[in-house]
mmCIF file of all heavy atoms in Angstrom:
data_model
loop_
_atom_site.group_PDB
_atom_site.id
_atom_site.type_symbol
_atom_site.label_atom_id
_atom_site.label_comp_id
_atom_site.label_asym_id
_atom_site.label_seq_id
_atom_site.Cartn_x
_atom_site.Cartn_y
_atom_site.Cartn_z
ATOM 1 N N GLY C 229 4.923 -6.954 8.919
ATOM 2 C CA GLY C 229 4.668 -5.535 8.841
ATOM 3 C C GLY C 229 4.845 -4.880 7.565
ATOM 4 O O GLY C 229 4.710 -3.621 7.465
ATOM 5 N N ASN C 230 5.283 -5.514 6.494
ATOM 6 C CA ASN C 230 5.474 -4.949 5.243
ATOM 7 C C ASN C 230 4.184 -4.945 4.472
ATOM 8 O O ASN C 230 3.268 -5.586 4.784
ATOM 9 C CB ASN C 230 6.528 -5.725 4.409
ATOM 10 C CG ASN C 230 7.860 -5.552 4.988
ATOM 11 O OD1 ASN C 230 8.370 -4.441 5.164
ATOM 12 N ND2 ASN C 230 8.549 -6.653 5.380
ATOM 13 N N VAL C 231 4.163 -4.115 3.424
ATOM 14 C CA VAL C 231 2.987 -4.038 2.577
ATOM 15 C C VAL C 231 3.375 -4.506 1.181
ATOM 16 O O VAL C 231 4.512 -4.232 0.680
ATOM 17 C CB VAL C 231 2.520 -2.591 2.483
ATOM 18 C CG1 VAL C 231 1.341 -2.464 1.558
ATOM 19 C CG2 VAL C 231 2.154 -2.088 3.834
ATOM 20 N N LEU C 232 2.491 -5.227 0.498
ATOM 21 C CA LEU C 232 2.759 -5.699 -0.827
ATOM 22 C C LEU C 232 1.991 -4.877 -1.860
ATOM 23 O O LEU C 232 0.745 -4.959 -1.988
ATOM 24 C CB LEU C 232 2.356 -7.144 -1.001
ATOM 25 C CG LEU C 232 2.980 -8.119 -0.113
ATOM 26 C CD1 LEU C 232 2.423 -9.502 -0.263
ATOM 27 C CD2 LEU C 232 4.526 -8.191 -0.465
ATOM 28 N N LEU C 233 2.670 -3.954 -2.587
ATOM 29 C CA LEU C 233 2.044 -3.235 -3.636
ATOM 30 C C LEU C 233 2.913 -3.216 -4.865
ATOM 31 O O LEU C 233 4.167 -3.126 -4.784
ATOM 32 C CB LEU C 233 1.872 -1.703 -3.258
ATOM 33 C CG LEU C 233 0.866 -1.415 -2.175
ATOM 34 C CD1 LEU C 233 0.903 0.117 -1.922
ATOM 35 C CD2 LEU C 233 -0.531 -1.809 -2.605
ATOM 36 N N THR C 234 2.285 -3.283 -6.031
ATOM 37 C CA THR C 234 3.038 -3.162 -7.237
ATOM 38 C C THR C 234 3.362 -1.657 -7.474
ATOM 39 O O THR C 234 2.695 -0.799 -6.887
ATOM 40 C CB THR C 234 2.257 -3.707 -8.468
ATOM 41 O OG1 THR C 234 1.040 -2.947 -8.596
ATOM 42 C CG2 THR C 234 1.880 -5.207 -8.246
ATOM 43 N N THR C 235 4.275 -1.389 -8.379
ATOM 44 C CA THR C 235 4.572 0.063 -8.702
ATOM 45 C C THR C 235 3.326 0.727 -9.230
ATOM 46 O O THR C 235 3.046 1.848 -8.883
ATOM 47 C CB THR C 235 5.709 0.089 -9.686
ATOM 48 O OG1 THR C 235 6.861 -0.566 -9.095
ATOM 49 C CG2 THR C 235 6.080 1.560 -9.975
ATOM 50 N N PHE C 236 2.593 -0.019 -9.998
ATOM 51 C CA PHE C 236 1.366 0.570 -10.578
ATOM 52 C C PHE C 236 0.376 0.979 -9.520
ATOM 53 O O PHE C 236 -0.107 2.101 -9.529
ATOM 54 C CB PHE C 236 0.657 -0.488 -11.514
ATOM 55 C CG PHE C 236 -0.699 -0.127 -11.923
ATOM 56 C CD1 PHE C 236 -0.861 0.684 -13.064
ATOM 57 C CD2 PHE C 236 -1.869 -0.563 -11.306
ATOM 58 C CE1 PHE C 236 -2.116 1.094 -13.540
ATOM 59 C CE2 PHE C 236 -3.087 -0.192 -11.714
ATOM 60 C CZ PHE C 236 -3.248 0.637 -12.840
ATOM 61 N N LEU C 237 0.110 0.096 -8.514
ATOM 62 C CA LEU C 237 -0.745 0.479 -7.428
ATOM 63 C C LEU C 237 -0.152 1.534 -6.491
ATOM 64 O O LEU C 237 -0.929 2.446 -6.040
ATOM 65 C CB LEU C 237 -1.173 -0.800 -6.655
ATOM 66 C CG LEU C 237 -2.106 -1.668 -7.414
ATOM 67 C CD1 LEU C 237 -2.321 -3.068 -6.750
ATOM 68 C CD2 LEU C 237 -3.492 -1.014 -7.610
ATOM 69 N N ALA C 238 1.080 1.481 -6.200
ATOM 70 C CA ALA C 238 1.691 2.465 -5.351
ATOM 71 C C ALA C 238 1.591 3.814 -5.946
ATOM 72 O O ALA C 238 1.336 4.807 -5.269
ATOM 73 C CB ALA C 238 3.178 2.095 -5.096
ATOM 74 N N THR C 239 1.816 3.941 -7.243
ATOM 75 C CA THR C 239 1.667 5.179 -7.989
ATOM 76 C C THR C 239 0.245 5.722 -7.876
ATOM 77 O O THR C 239 -0.064 6.914 -7.654
ATOM 78 C CB THR C 239 2.047 4.999 -9.469
ATOM 79 O OG1 THR C 239 3.460 4.553 -9.491
ATOM 80 C CG2 THR C 239 1.941 6.347 -10.195
ATOM 81 N N ARG C 240 -0.750 4.780 -8.018
ATOM 82 C CA ARG C 240 -2.133 5.178 -7.951
ATOM 83 C C ARG C 240 -2.517 5.654 -6.579
ATOM 84 O O ARG C 240 -3.255 6.647 -6.444
ATOM 85 C CB ARG C 240 -2.946 4.026 -8.404
ATOM 86 C CG ARG C 240 -4.473 4.363 -8.535
ATOM 87 C CD ARG C 240 -5.243 3.363 -9.300
ATOM 88 N NE ARG C 240 -6.618 3.811 -9.211
ATOM 89 C CZ ARG C 240 -7.672 3.084 -9.522
ATOM 90 N NH1 ARG C 240 -7.409 1.841 -9.956
ATOM 91 N NH2 ARG C 240 -8.918 3.550 -9.435
ATOM 92 N N VAL C 241 -2.005 4.982 -5.538
ATOM 93 C CA VAL C 241 -2.313 5.389 -4.194
ATOM 94 C C VAL C 241 -1.739 6.779 -3.928
ATOM 95 O O VAL C 241 -2.391 7.664 -3.338
ATOM 96 C CB VAL C 241 -1.783 4.321 -3.150
ATOM 97 C CG1 VAL C 241 -1.807 4.872 -1.784
ATOM 98 C CG2 VAL C 241 -2.563 3.035 -3.291
#
Side-chain angles (χ1 to χ4, degrees):
N230 292 305
V231 177
L232 298 174
L233 289 179
T234 62
T235 302
F236 172 83
L237 286 170
T239 301
R240 187 164 175 196
V241 168

